[in-house]
Amino acid sequence: MPADVFPVAVGGVWQPSSDAGGTFTAFNPQTGEVLPGEYPVSGAADLEAVLAAAAGATTALQAVPAEVRATFLERFADLLEADADALTRMAHHETALPLTGRLLQNELPRTTGQLRQAAHCVRERSWVRPVIDTQLGLRSMFGPMHGAAVVFGPNNFPFAFNAVSGGDFAAAIAAGLPVIAKAHPAHPGTSRLLAQHALEALRATPGLPTGTVQMLYHLPPELGRRLVSDRRVAATAFTGSRTGGLALKGASDAPSIPFYGELSSVNPVVILPGALEERLEALADELFTSCTLGSGQFCTNPGLVFVPDGAAGRGFVAALAHRFAAAPPGVLFTRDAPPHLEEVVGRLQGAGAQIEAGGRASGPGFRFSTTLLSVPGEVMVQNPQVLGQEAFGPVCLVVLVRGMEGFQAALSILEGNLTGTLYSAADGTDDALYAALAPLLRVRVGRLLNDRMPTGVAVSPAQQHGGPFPATTHPGFTSVGLPAAITRFAALQSYDHVRDARLPEELRDTNPLGIQRCVDRVWTAEPLSQPGDHHG
């Protein structure tokens, strides 16, 4: 590997990639220009090196006091804040995301906040959910899985979801798992700077094994599948494309290794008749702003909107089309994105949708015009596989439906989504229709919203950033919100008549940590077996 190629992070140190798997470069999406620096595409030797180092770190990390992991997370956050200017400038060059307003004042603070929340959860430890049944002598809690956490970062959040700093990373470290981070090739320089600070925090925190944090920039698809299916891996967290995610999930399913994938979501928005009559222009403003935020490259972007057919609905489409046509083209993250969106828009047209504004790639750099399409509800119901697909860009499809039956038919054929939104009139005129439609939407989304766009994802213990397939691969988990996100990397562990001194601190009668617990009897019914009985 040439000397001017950036090294990979293996076993706590930077070292040259040991493979001749080729190199790649980053691009400036605004201009299309190649950015300085070459990054390695790792091969089998690098993969084995990080897996071996993670395996060596697994048992040692779980033996480290919780306070040490918490201190590492806080030191990492401090280092990121101290280098905020350089980090955000690099991310701006690689992603074209706004430096002020987005990266410096919003996303980086959210990232450091997540790291500190994770540290708090490590100390507070309620995420282990201890339960004690004193009558039967049983105690249970969540403890760390045995193995490494593999984290695949996406292209759209260079900090908050980055494989080496984001929510998945923070949750895995909080649970006590070493992390093998697979950076996204759209922002390798940003990931390199983040990994540098992670390793600095690691070295400054005595007691942590060197294999706690590792990072590879890129892997061929076959090695990605090998990574997630390796027995030294406890679980994988993935945010990215549906095609790539399903390929990795198929590989991890064979050895039954948990795979938490965020894959695809169109985030349906339903605007009921009273709301449209009441505030049409304001709703057009809200939807346009949400659709074009970050050039539509949010996993919660509202890409599918249902409105009543008729004068108000068509007026709403016209108001939106005016806004979309006047907007500048959106800058996309990768050079493959504009031709991909052209293909998606072509498929939508082929399935019966009509372009109201935009619909084409537009230079310089990686740009695509803000695009609005419309389609009758009955056409949508006939071809939901095509018309319900995610575009991942500044593309929105409005579906014009007729009456309650039209709304019900359209919502009934939706796939699983991260979010679903219902807008209704303030005076209650939509309440009966809301009551009929909300249950249909509720079972198809992770987060149900009323009267606001879904783009924002608050980092809250009550958050659910997940949902039914294909939004994610498991509807019972969230990738945002602590402590719940930690449990993706945890296993339920039970102790049967184990002496108090031999129990984890969280389960001891003395309860030295002061953790809130469910104690005594869990069930009021008689037990299926008596103490001392042992049946499978």
Side-chain angles (χ1 to χ4, degrees), residues 334-405:
T334 67
R335 58 182 172 181
D336 295 332
H340 169 72
L341 283 184
E342 283 192 327
E343 291 178 11
V344 171
V345 170
R347 288 196 295 268
L348 294 174
Q349 286 182 280
Q354 173 181 320
I355 291 182
E356 303 288 347
R360 61 191 180 279
S362 177
F366 312 146
R367 301 173 194 261
F368 198 83
S369 56
T370 53
T371 300
L372 181 71
L373 303 98
S374 66
V375 69
E378 54 271 24
V379 176
M380 171 74 191
V381 172
Q382 291 168 3
N383 199 351
Q385 290 79 17
V386 175
L387 294 170
Q389 67 181 292
E390 181 186 31
F392 200 69
V395 176
C396 181
L397 175 63
V398 178
V399 183
L400 295 150
V401 299
R402 298 179 182 177
M404 179 184 289
E405 294 78 9

Side-chain angles (χ1 to χ4, degrees), residues 153-495:
N155 61 9
N156 58 342
F157 281 87
F159 299 128
F161 281 83
N162 194 292
V164 74
S165 70
D168 293 333
F169 172 90
I173 295 291
L177 274 63
V179 171
I180 299 173
K182 196 297 200 173
H184 195 283
H187 43 71
T190 305
S191 299
R192 175 176 59 84
L193 294 180
L194 292 169
Q196 286 177 350
H197 292 308
L199 295 187
E200 183 179 352
L202 182 69
R203 290 190 293 271
T205 311
L208 288 179
T210 57
T212 298
V213 179
Q214 303 181 90
M215 187 189 72
L216 302 179
Y217 293 103
H218 204 15
L219 290 168
E222 65 274 12
L223 290 186
R225 294 191 292 272
R226 185 190 300 183
L227 172 61
V228 301
S229 61
D230 192 281
R231 292 288 186 181
R232 290 165 287 187
V233 169
T236 295
F238 171 91
T239 305
S241 74
R242 184 168 176 173
T243 300
L246 288 179
L248 291 172
K249 184 179 185 301
S252 66
D253 281 348
S256 197
I257 295 172
F259 182 89
Y260 304 107
E262 182 189 318
L263 308 181
S264 177
S265 188
V266 292
N267 306 296
V269 173
V270 180
I271 302 178
L272 300 182
L276 203 57
E277 295 286 351
E278 187 177 77
R279 53 191 193 276
L280 186 152
E281 291 294 333
L283 288 172
D285 284 337
E286 286 185 47
L287 180 60
F288 168 74
T289 300
S290 186
C291 284
T292 55
L293 184 66
S295 297
Q297 298 168 114
F298 276 68
C299 47
T300 50
N301 180 59
L304 190 62
V305 182
F306 299 91
V307 299
D309 199 356
R314 296 186 183 280
F316 181 70
V317 171
L320 277 177
H322 175 74
R323 290 162 171 79
F324 273 74
V331 181
L332 306 178
F333 293 125
T334 67
R335 58 182 172 181
D336 295 332
H340 169 72
L341 283 184
E342 283 192 327
E343 291 178 11
V344 171
V345 170
R347 288 196 295 268
L348 294 174
Q349 286 182 280
Q354 173 181 320
I355 291 182
E356 303 288 347
R360 61 191 180 279
S362 177
F366 312 146
R367 301 173 194 261
F368 198 83
S369 56
T370 53
T371 300
L372 181 71
L373 303 98
S374 66
V375 69
E378 54 271 24
V379 176
M380 171 74 191
V381 172
Q382 291 168 3
N383 199 351
Q385 290 79 17
V386 175
L387 294 170
Q389 67 181 292
E390 181 186 31
F392 200 69
V395 176
C396 181
L397 175 63
V398 178
V399 183
L400 295 150
V401 299
R402 298 179 182 177
M404 179 184 289
E405 294 78 9
F407 276 114
Q408 289 174 323
L411 296 186
S412 296
I413 49 86
L414 288 177
E415 291 187 316
N417 282 273
L418 295 170
T419 75
T421 302
L422 281 157
Y423 276 88
S424 59
D427 63 6
T429 56
D430 289 324
D431 285 1
L433 185 54
Y434 179 96
L437 298 181
L440 291 175
L441 200 53
R442 174 66 281 178
V443 297
R444 290 169 172 83
V445 303
R447 176 164 55 110
L448 180 67
L449 297 93
N450 276 190
D451 301 302
R452 61 182 301 174
M453 289 296 161
T455 325
V457 182
V459 183
S460 162
Q463 185 60 269
Q464 163 58 331
H465 190 62
F469 181 83
T472 61
T473 55
H474 197 306
F477 292 91
T478 178
S479 63
V480 176
L482 298 162
I486 300 173
T487 59
R488 292 172 299 156
F489 306 103
L492 185 59
Q493 302 169 344
S494 181
Y495 296 83

Side-chain angles (χ1 to χ4, degrees), residues 128-133 138-141 507 517-519 522:
V128 305
R129 301 179 191 175
V131 179
I132 297 175
D133 185 331
L138 288 168
R139 297 159 193 253
S140 69
M141 59 177 279
L507 293 178
R517 304 177 297 186
C518 177
V519 298
V522 180

